[in-house]
Amino acid sequence: MARPRIAITSCTAADAPTSEVVGREYVDAVVAAGGLPVVLPVLEPPLAAEALEGAHGLLVTGGGDIDPHRYGAEAHPEVYGVDPRRDAWELALVAALGGRPVLGICRGAQLLNVAAGGTLVQHLPDVTELVHRDRERDREEVHEVEVEPASRLHAVLGGLRAGVNSLHHQAVDRLGDGLAIVARADDGTVEAVEAVDGRQLLGVQWHPELLADREPHRSVFAWLVAAADVRRVHDGPPVVMAEAPAG
Ligand code: MN
């Protein structure tokens, strides 16, 4: 049985600007869920549709901040790691999805909101006392989220409360078109969004790939791979050249 192919976005290594990197945990989580990871380098936006050919789903990974100009704001002094090429590329991939499911993680969730016309809180310590960037405990559940009943995320996680890790200093502010907020931390910070316009789109602000040895976090990847598998079956088998008749 063929595995659905999950395109995974990468980024330029901070300490090696000519290298593209992707966290191994994303790759491993997709494999464990039954998908076949295909890591995409950052390319020029016109190549997005072609880059997604043969992919059945997309995983938009975490990383540095999105350029605030993308959502009409001036940069806060704490904004870091901006890469306009990556922003443009990932926005082009989302625009080229054509019905494929997409999972956004951390920066990826924020990118899905910006792609839909939404905005971000640029620096959470300005607006909340709750610690959302706890890098020392990146594989621990450092705060809880409250999940919206009857949401897709509720079905995915199988419960209305979940403990999560938290490595972000930004979050969704004004919601983009076609999206709903489906989880919040106890301080009100948006922790997950999903599409309510028929798209297969889920964005989580935490890092399930670092918690993928346990439920309910493993289920986030199971959702993506299952939705991609529906797409794979719909697309049918790849076209193979017929063998020339013998003789
Ligand atoms: Mn958080």
Side-chain angles (χ1 to χ4, degrees):
M1 190 73 137
R3 286 171 174 250
R5 291 174 179 264
I6 308 297
I8 304 180
T9 64
S10 68
C11 61
T12 302
D15 56 352
T18 58
S19 295
E20 291 279 317
V21 296
V22 65
R24 182 71 212 188
E25 294 90 348
Y26 296 109
V27 168
D28 291 343
V30 166
V31 172
L36 184 78
V38 181
V39 178
L40 294 181
V42 174
L43 299 169
E44 293 305 312
L47 292 174
E50 200 172 341
L52 286 174
E53 280 179 18
H56 306 108
L58 176 67
L59 170 54
V60 187
T61 55
D65 294 336
I66 296 162
D67 184 349
H69 292 108
R70 285 280 176 191
Y71 48 93
E74 292 303 315
H76 184 286
E78 294 291 333
V79 164
Y80 77 98
V82 170
D83 179 351
R85 285 187 66 233
R86 183 182 184 193
D87 295 345
W89 172 241
E90 292 184 343
L91 289 166
L93 287 174
V94 171
L97 277 172
R100 296 176 183 86
V102 57
L103 171 64
I105 291 179
C106 196
R107 166 201 158 87
Q110 296 164 9
L111 185 110
L112 294 175
N113 188 56
V114 171
T119 67
L120 304 179
V121 178
Q122 290 197 45
H123 193 55
L124 285 170
D126 289 351
V127 297
T128 179
E129 303 277 300
L130 185 66
V131 174
H132 282 279
R133 186 156 56 180
D134 192 343
R135 288 171 168 154
E136 302 288 301
R137 298 191 293 159
D138 63 352
R139 285 150 210 265
E140 293 176 43
E141 297 169 10
V142 300
H143 71 70
E144 293 202 321
V145 299
E146 180 83 19
V147 178
E148 191 65 26
S151 61
R152 174 183 295 130
L153 184 65
H154 182 198
V156 168
L157 298 179
L160 292 174
R161 298 281 293 181
V164 299
N165 52 3
S166 198
L167 298 169
H168 59 116
H169 82 118
Q170 300 195 331
V172 167
D173 187 5
R174 194 185 72 228
L175 193 61
D177 296 336
L179 303 181
I181 294 165
V182 290
R184 290 183 187 270
D186 292 338
D187 64 351
T189 298
V190 176
E191 290 278 343
V193 296
E194 66 185 41
V196 289
D197 58 4
R199 289 184 292 162
Q200 294 283 310
L201 178 154
L202 178 61
V204 296
Q205 188 56 69
W206 68 96
H207 282 268
E209 81 282 5
L210 301 180
L211 303 169
D213 60 339
R214 70 199 88 159
E215 293 293 3
H217 306 289
R218 193 184 290 149
S219 295
V220 175
F221 295 95
W223 168 77
L224 175 63
V225 171
D229 200 49
V230 171
R231 172 77 185 208
R232 181 187 66 79
V233 171
H234 175 267
D235 286 355
V239 177
V240 179
M241 296 281 282
E243 280 184 51

